[in-house]
Amino acid sequence: MCNLPPKFHSVCRLCLSFCGDNCSDVKLPIFDRDKDKSRLSEMIMAYLSIMVSPEDMLPQVVCGSCANKLDEFHTFRELSHKSERLLEQFLHYANSLSGPIEI
């Protein structure tokens, strides 16, 4: 095993930011023991296509800023999927009233 600097595991896994003990930005564990609270690992894999594992020896934390961005991705994804469903429902409804829409 190589000799890693002690701060290696304290940097954000996504943006490499580092905060010492006096920093106001919080580091959140990627793999939280409380499954209902944290889905960071799932969001990282789904939205960024980065495979993360508790055994990969890389930093296991993300900064608050990156966690917020993942939440924003999630919110945007949910909104986009909802919008798609509503548009398809509207198109289906319009077709049922007047026949197919010509483009």
Side-chain angles (χ1 to χ4, degrees):
M1 181 170 206
C2 62
N3 292 329
L4 295 171
K7 295 179 181 180
F8 177 80
H9 292 287
S10 298
V11 298
C12 174
R13 172 77 173 255
L14 302 177
C15 72
L16 299 180
S17 68
F18 174 77
C19 274
D21 295 334
N22 296 328
C23 184
S24 62
D25 195 13
V26 64
K27 297 289 186 198
L28 303 167
I30 293 173
F31 302 99
D32 198 339
R33 295 180 195 271
D34 186 354
K35 299 280 186 197
D36 294 330
K37 273 189 172 179
S38 177
R39 301 208 187 289
L40 286 173
S41 62
E42 294 170 13
M43 289 192 291
I44 290 169
M45 290 187 271
Y47 305 138
L48 304 177
S49 300
I50 295 174
M51 298 304 295
V52 293
S53 166
E55 293 84 29
D56 65 16
M57 302 300 292
L58 296 173
Q60 303 288 302
V61 294
V62 297
C63 68
S65 177
C66 287
N68 287 337
K69 288 175 185 172
L70 286 170
D71 283 336
E72 289 174 11
F73 284 151
H74 178 74
T75 300
F76 180 67
R77 180 179 185 265
E78 295 298 311
L79 173 65
S80 299
H81 283 253
K82 181 179 178 182
S83 298
E84 180 76 7
R85 286 190 304 273
L86 289 172
L87 289 169
E88 288 175 353
Q89 288 174 0
F90 178 78
L91 184 60
H92 180 72
Y93 175 73
N95 283 338
S96 71
L97 292 178
S98 62
I101 297 175
E102 300 209 15
I103 298 176

